[in-house]
Amino acid sequence: MSDEYVEVARHTTVRRYPGVGQMIATTVLYQHSNDYDPGHEYFCLASYIAMTPEDDWRNSGFCASYNLDTAYYSLKPFGGFFGQSGPQTSPRYPVSAGDGLGKLLNTFDIFGIFSGLFGHPVELHAYDTTGVAWTTRCGYFTQGATDSLNLTPISEVVGKQPAADDTAWHVLAGIEIDTEPGWSRPGEQPASSLPWDHLVFIRKATEAA
């Protein structure tokens, strides 16, 4: 995170699925301390998501999405768009520097079989300037399958500077965490659960008299 951004707020949600696993999601909102742009506001959204299995279940994967074009009852969207977003990684078997085996697997893994068993692919889906999502999965024989499967998406959000008399609350973003495909064990997957959300509200700060 750049030193030019300062933390404004954070929220953590823990969801436990008894006998299957647990999800922890923390969302943090940052604001640019001094962007020298009178026409726009610059924010940064960051999430830390961790999936942990229980008993003999194994992590399979989950999805996290950021949606800027969302409202909440009478609260309207802030009207921002995405700048840079990360991580941007390959859906293939991840290859680190000097990983000869990984390069070999990618060469012959045309159908993604090795990646599905030994890999930890993360896919970035950019729908438009107001929607972005990440799908992370782990192979059945990876450490992340039995330990903790983590993802830390980060996105810069740019929006028009509110009018001088606009001190109403707006929805900066809706962040959805979906536990699909969730957890698995041989021949079985748990029943799917409904996605859950973090909503980020903002408003223009009023100057003290």
Side-chain angles (χ1 to χ4, degrees):
M1 181 62 60
S2 169
D3 293 337
E4 297 174 334
Y5 281 97
V6 294
E7 183 176 325
V8 176
R10 69 169 53 214
H11 176 76
T12 297
T13 298
V14 179
R15 279 208 170 182
R16 185 169 180 268
Y17 305 87
V20 179
Q22 176 178 274
M23 293 284 292
I24 300 176
T26 297
T27 295
V28 186
L29 171 64
Y30 300 87
Q31 185 175 19
H32 203 291
S33 58
N34 196 347
D35 53 53
Y36 303 104
D37 184 348
H40 296 85
E41 287 288 341
Y42 292 79
F43 297 93
C44 191
L45 289 170
S47 297
Y48 176 74
I49 306 167
M51 168 183 273
T52 307
E54 296 181 5
D55 297 338
D56 56 346
W57 290 95
R58 289 175 179 255
N59 294 323
S60 291
F62 59 85
C63 180
S65 60
Y66 287 4
N67 180 13
L68 302 183
D69 188 21
T70 186
Y72 183 74
Y73 292 97
S74 63
L75 301 185
K76 304 300 182 183
F78 179 64
F81 62 91
F82 285 115
Q84 295 183 346
S85 297
Q88 300 185 39
T89 60
S90 170
R92 302 293 301 281
Y93 185 94
V95 179
S96 58
D99 182 3
L101 175 60
K103 291 181 180 179
L104 181 64
L105 290 176
N106 264 345
T107 301
F108 297 99
D109 193 19
I110 300 174
F111 300 104
I113 297 174
F114 293 122
S115 178
L117 294 175
F118 304 100
H120 177 184
V122 178
E123 296 179 69
L124 172 68
H125 314 276
Y127 304 113
D128 51 37
T129 59
T130 62
V132 64
W134 296 263
T135 301
T136 180
R137 296 182 176 88
C138 65
Y140 191 83
F141 297 104
T142 63
Q143 182 178 355
T146 55
D147 188 6
S148 181
L149 180 60
N150 305 319
L151 181 68
T152 306
I154 299 175
S155 285
E156 183 184 57
V157 182
V158 183
K160 290 184 178 180
Q161 177 75 29
D165 59 348
D166 183 5
T167 58
W169 285 95
H170 293 277
V171 183
L172 179 65
I175 299 173
E176 182 179 276
I177 297 94
D178 191 347
T179 57
E180 181 70 28
W183 296 269
S184 64
R185 58 186 177 187
E188 186 177 1
Q189 283 189 320
S192 61
S193 60
L194 294 175
W196 40 291
D197 302 271
H198 286 172
L199 288 170
V200 181
F201 304 125
I202 60 171
R203 73 170 178 175
K204 188 174 182 178
T206 55
E207 295 183 5

